[in-house]
């Protein structure tokens, strides 16, 4: 069917959804609008998918607008169905429609229209049902806008085979544009200055930051290519978030944390192609399952806001008088706090849900269970990098570092000689909770693939419980553009050091940026760690940093091999 202004306006009022209730509905033909933030889709199901855009109204406009969306099974939309809805200032002119009555396992194309203005064309895909021979997923995390260009998203947009993009969090960052702010050395050089220029705290702040990120053309291209399946990590609210606070939240100057969290989550639901929280449920309950036919189940878990207990940091390691009166680290007390069984990430309710979903997936015959999880799960103790090179070489490397970075590196060298975990914000800071999760895997009779983000590094890990039994294989994706720990370390081979001193770590790359590309068939998984050659310029090259083969065998996962 032809999509013209007359046919669209004739359908207003007969739509399937409404995004606003403001009574001042105006004629779309009377308003000069744009679609500055592209289009997106997400949360696919066999018969539906979320479609999203944001209408950019003229400055000072504050009425409600009618919006039409066409969705069809051909790129020219010749067979499109048109649905109508409204949007307005109460939801920042974002538009979200759960498009239903779709066929499973099919590509669809969609486009929004207000008056004569049309959005870019988007492509999406529903979940398959029944026999499914192949699944292609791109896995991303950590996209600091001032940190660099989103070349990884440009590469994802060009993939020939792609069922969905799995985003594991840190979609936005909360920091401002002040001197010394996170990533701003690069941001100023590239002209990528945070909007607003201060740290975001209010609803208006979070909305403007989401708008800036979705103005990026590479991110828009990836969103227009395939549906996203997303969870948040910490920076969607503030750094190192837990249930009732965050490392980067100061109540004395930034107000009540719950108010800040509520503003962040409202903006997230407005600006992301994700289904709204079900009536009667908390907005924090973002955990949900996606079944890809008879091949795989993807369970997205929430590890920040539903149950995470107060964080533990390396700064909590206290010093006590030694036998000769000299201060020594009280490692025993520190480890006792770390091993406290009350320390939690998922919570009992989410574990019960996950046990049910894993058991159901296995009982329904799917060979693959995938955990979309935010933070690295493997046991990773901090490396003593002083053992990796002669003292003179290490001193030369340290001498080349900025004074502040050198002081931090020297303190970590001393700290990691004590055999403490590398990252306490990851599962390593919650070992009892990790054992409860591994027990759940055992009870459900599954060995899943665990996906992880957050760390700004590539990881390939084999996960074992305290008894030494392999419980899962983990693939961690590096950042799209956020700084990695090794970026400032000169010649210190941090990734190599981590893989050398940790039995669970098969591979770690602390320098590359990019994404994980995973292809599943009924009998094996092929996983490529895809790196972009630069995030500071275009053009760029894309190539695999490493490739791995993981067979599916009776009773669990087979031997992981590099290919």
């Amino acid at each position: 069917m032809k999509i013209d202004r007359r046919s669209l306006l004739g359908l207003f009022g007969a739509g399937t959804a409404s995004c606003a209730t403001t009574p001042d509905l105006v004629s779309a033909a009377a308003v000069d609008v744009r679609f500055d933030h592209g289009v997106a889709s997400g949360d696919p199901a066999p018969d539906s998918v979320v479609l999203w855009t944001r209408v950019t109204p003229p400055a000072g406009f504050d009425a409600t607008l009618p919006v039409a969306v066409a969705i069809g099974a051909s790129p020219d939309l010749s067979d499109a169905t048109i649905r109508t809805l409204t949007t307005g200032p109460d939801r920042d002119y974002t538009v979200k429609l759960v498009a239903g009555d779709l066929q499973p396992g099919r590509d669809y194309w969609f486009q929004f229209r207000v008056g004569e203005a049309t959005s870019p064309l988007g492509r999406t895909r529903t979940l398959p049902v029944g026999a499914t021979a192949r699944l292609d997923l791109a896995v991303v995390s950590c996209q600091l806008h001032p940190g660099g260009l989103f070349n990884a998203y440009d590469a994802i947009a060009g993939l020939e085979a792609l069922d969905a993009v799995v985003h594991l969090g840190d979609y936005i960052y909360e920091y401002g544009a002040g001197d010394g702010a996170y990533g701003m050395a690069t941001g100023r050089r590239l002209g990528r200055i945070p909007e607003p220029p201060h740290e975001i705290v209010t609803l208006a702040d979070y909305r403007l930051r989401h708008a800036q990120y979705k103005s990026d053309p590479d991110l828009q291209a990836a969103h227009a290519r395939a549906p996203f399946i997303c969870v948040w990590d910490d920076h969607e609210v503030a750094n190192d978030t837990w249930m009732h606070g965050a490392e980067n939240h100061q109540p004395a100057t930034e107000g009540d944390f719950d108010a800040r969290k509520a503003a962040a989550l409202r903006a997230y639901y407005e600006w992301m192609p994700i289904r709204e929280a079900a009536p009667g449920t908390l907005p924090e309950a973002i955990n949900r399952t996606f079944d890809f036919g008879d091949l795989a189940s993807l369970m997205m878990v929430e590890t920040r806001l539903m149950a995470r207990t107060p964080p533990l940091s390396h700064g909590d390691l206290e010093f006590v008088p030694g036998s000769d009166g000299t201060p020594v680290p009280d490692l025993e007390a520190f480890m006792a706090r770390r091993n406290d069984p009350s320390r939690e990430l998922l919570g009992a309710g989410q574990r019960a849900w996950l046990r049910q979903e894993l058991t159901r997936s296995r009982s329904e015959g799917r060979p693959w269970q995938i955990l979309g999880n935010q933070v690295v799960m493997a046991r990773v103790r901090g490396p003593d990098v002083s053992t990796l090179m002669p003292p003179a070489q290490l001193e030369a490397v340290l001498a080349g570092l900025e004074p502040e970075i050198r002081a931090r590196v020297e303190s970590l060298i001393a700290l990691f000689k004590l055999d403490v975990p590398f990252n306490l914000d990851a599962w390593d800071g919650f070992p009892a909770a990790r054992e409860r999760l591994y027990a759940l895997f055992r009870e459900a009779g599954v060995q899943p693939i665990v996906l992880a983000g957050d760390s700004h590094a590539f990881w390939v890990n084999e996960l074992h419980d305290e008894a030494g039994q392999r419980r899962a294989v983990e693939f961690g994706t590096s950042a799209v553009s956020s700084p990695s720990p090794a970026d400032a370390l000169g010649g210190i081979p941090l990734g190599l050091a981590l893989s050398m001193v940790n039995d669970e770590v098969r591979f770690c790359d602390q320098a590359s940026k990019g994404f994980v590309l995973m292809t599943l068939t009924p009998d094996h998984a092929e996983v490529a760690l895809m790196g972009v050659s630069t995030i500071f310029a275009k053009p760029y090259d894309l190539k695999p940093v490493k490739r791995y083969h993981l067979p599916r065998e009776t009773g669990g996962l087979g031997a992981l091999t590099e290919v």
Side-chain angles (χ1 to χ4, degrees):
M1 68 183 294
K2 182 180 180 181
I3 306 173
D4 58 23
R5 176 175 171 272
R6 181 180 299 277
S7 63
L8 289 175
L9 292 177
L11 288 171
F12 287 139
T16 59
S18 177
C19 289
T21 57
T22 308
D24 335 336
L25 185 65
V26 301
S27 168
V31 184
D32 182 18
V33 305
R34 304 186 308 275
F35 292 89
D36 289 346
H37 304 97
V39 298
S41 68
D43 277 13
D47 61 351
S48 64
V49 67
V50 174
L51 306 180
W52 179 95
T53 194
R54 198 257 182 175
V55 179
T56 305
F61 186 82
D62 65 354
T64 302
L65 279 171
V67 183
V69 55
I71 180 170
S74 62
D76 63 3
L77 297 178
S78 58
D79 60 346
T81 299
I82 298 175
R83 313 176 191 214
T84 64
L85 54 160
T86 59
T87 190
D90 67 324
R91 61 174 300 118
D92 202 20
Y93 289 97
T94 60
V95 181
K96 187 186 295 186
L97 172 70
V98 179
D101 300 322
L102 305 179
Q103 297 300 309
R106 291 191 61 176
D107 286 339
Y108 285 89
W109 285 262
F110 62 98
Q111 189 172 49
F112 294 85
R113 184 161 186 161
V114 175
E116 298 295 334
T118 57
S119 75
L121 184 69
R123 178 181 179 182
T124 190
R125 185 169 179 82
T126 53
L127 297 184
V129 297
T132 301
R134 174 172 167 152
L135 171 62
D136 294 284
L137 299 175
V139 185
V140 294
S141 180
C142 304
Q143 53 201 54
L144 180 67
H145 189 269
L149 303 179
F150 291 172
N151 287 340
Y153 280 125
D154 178 69
I156 288 171
L159 293 175
E160 182 176 349
L162 183 62
D163 292 287
V165 177
V166 179
H167 199 296
L168 299 176
D170 292 346
Y171 188 96
I172 64 168
Y173 282 74
E174 80 276 19
Y175 302 112
D179 291 339
Y182 190 53
M184 280 311 300
T186 298
R188 293 195 191 285
R189 189 167 73 249
L190 296 178
R192 293 169 74 88
I193 309 301
E195 297 176 0
H198 54 265
E199 183 174 322
I200 54 176
V201 176
T202 68
L203 176 60
D205 291 342
Y206 281 100
R207 283 171 165 174
L208 187 55
R209 190 61 58 84
H210 274 280
Q212 180 183 35
Y213 276 60
K214 280 207 171 65
S215 298
D216 185 273
D218 293 328
L219 180 55
Q220 287 189 17
H223 271 301
R225 170 62 182 86
F228 274 51
I229 298 173
C230 302
V231 290
W232 53 65
D233 191 27
D234 53 340
H235 289 287
E236 285 85 352
V237 180
N239 183 55
D240 288 356
T241 305
W242 57 288
M243 282 182 70
H244 303 302
E247 177 276 332
N248 194 30
H249 179 77
Q250 292 74 42
T253 57
E254 295 171 332
D256 179 66
F257 176 75
D258 287 339
R260 181 178 187 175
K261 178 178 72 172
L265 295 195
R266 177 172 174 179
Y268 186 90
Y269 277 105
E270 289 173 349
W271 277 86
M272 296 296 289
I274 185 173
R275 295 174 193 258
E276 300 291 312
T281 63
L282 296 174
E284 294 92 335
I286 200 173
N287 54 302
R288 60 216 193 278
T289 301
F290 300 86
D291 291 326
F292 293 86
D294 64 355
L295 182 60
S297 295
L298 169 64
M299 293 85 174
M300 304 293 282
V301 298
E302 202 284 336
T303 63
R304 287 289 177 183
L305 302 177
M306 291 173 65
R308 183 182 280 245
T309 47
L312 185 66
S313 74
H314 293 120
D316 294 312
L317 180 60
E318 298 180 347
F319 285 75
V320 296
S323 58
D324 62 354
T326 303
V328 296
D330 191 352
L331 189 59
E332 182 178 355
F334 178 79
M335 288 302 188
R337 290 184 61 187
R338 171 179 172 256
N339 294 323
D340 184 345
S342 69
R343 294 181 58 70
E344 185 60 271
L345 281 184
L346 295 180
Q350 192 172 187
R351 280 198 309 277
W353 164 82
L354 184 57
R355 179 186 294 107
Q356 172 184 303
E357 291 300 284
L358 291 170
T359 302
R360 177 189 60 82
S361 177
R362 179 188 57 79
S363 66
E364 291 176 356
R366 293 182 185 89
W368 299 102
Q369 290 75 39
I370 310 165
L371 204 65
N373 147 80
Q374 289 79 14
V375 294
V376 172
M377 194 171 290
R379 287 179 173 82
V380 184
R381 69 182 187 273
D384 179 2
V385 297
S386 66
T387 64
L388 298 181
M389 58 185 72
Q393 183 181 354
L394 177 60
E395 175 56 33
V397 170
L398 293 175
L401 301 178
E402 295 290 333
E404 182 179 345
I405 295 173
R406 173 171 182 159
R408 175 62 175 159
V409 170
E410 288 176 334
S411 68
L412 288 175
I413 289 174
L415 178 69
F416 291 152
K417 289 179 184 292
L418 300 176
D419 200 26
V420 297
F422 178 66
N423 182 3
L424 291 164
D425 188 55
W427 281 89
D428 247 349
F430 305 82
R434 181 170 55 197
E435 286 303 307
R436 288 191 287 270
L437 179 62
Y438 290 166
L440 184 157
F441 293 166
R442 183 183 66 250
E443 294 161 7
V446 300
Q447 285 189 354
I449 290 177
V450 173
L451 304 176
D454 180 70
S455 71
H456 310 175
F458 282 124
W459 299 84
V460 179
N461 304 322
E462 298 200 72
L463 308 181
H464 297 78
D465 62 19
E466 287 182 341
Q469 297 297 309
R470 187 170 79 155
R471 293 298 170 200
V473 169
E474 179 175 45
F475 296 100
T477 184
S478 188
V480 170
S481 61
S482 302
S484 297
D487 290 347
L489 294 184
I492 297 177
L494 181 59
L496 175 62
L498 287 164
S499 61
M500 287 178 63
V501 303
N502 289 286
D503 292 339
E504 292 196 353
V505 179
R506 292 281 301 271
F507 176 74
C508 181
D509 178 351
Q510 291 277 332
S512 298
K513 303 293 188 291
F515 60 97
V516 167
L517 185 60
M518 182 168 67
T519 298
L520 299 179
T521 68
D523 59 3
H524 69 273
E526 302 291 340
V527 180
L529 314 180
M530 303 299 297
V532 295
S533 58
T534 179
I535 59 171
F536 306 123
K538 291 180 183 294
Y540 64 91
D541 294 323
L542 176 72
K543 65 179 181 180
V545 176
K546 292 281 186 180
R547 292 185 182 272
Y548 289 88
H549 175 83
L550 180 64
R552 173 69 194 182
E553 298 178 353
T554 302
L557 303 177
L560 178 67
T561 56
E562 184 182 345
V563 295

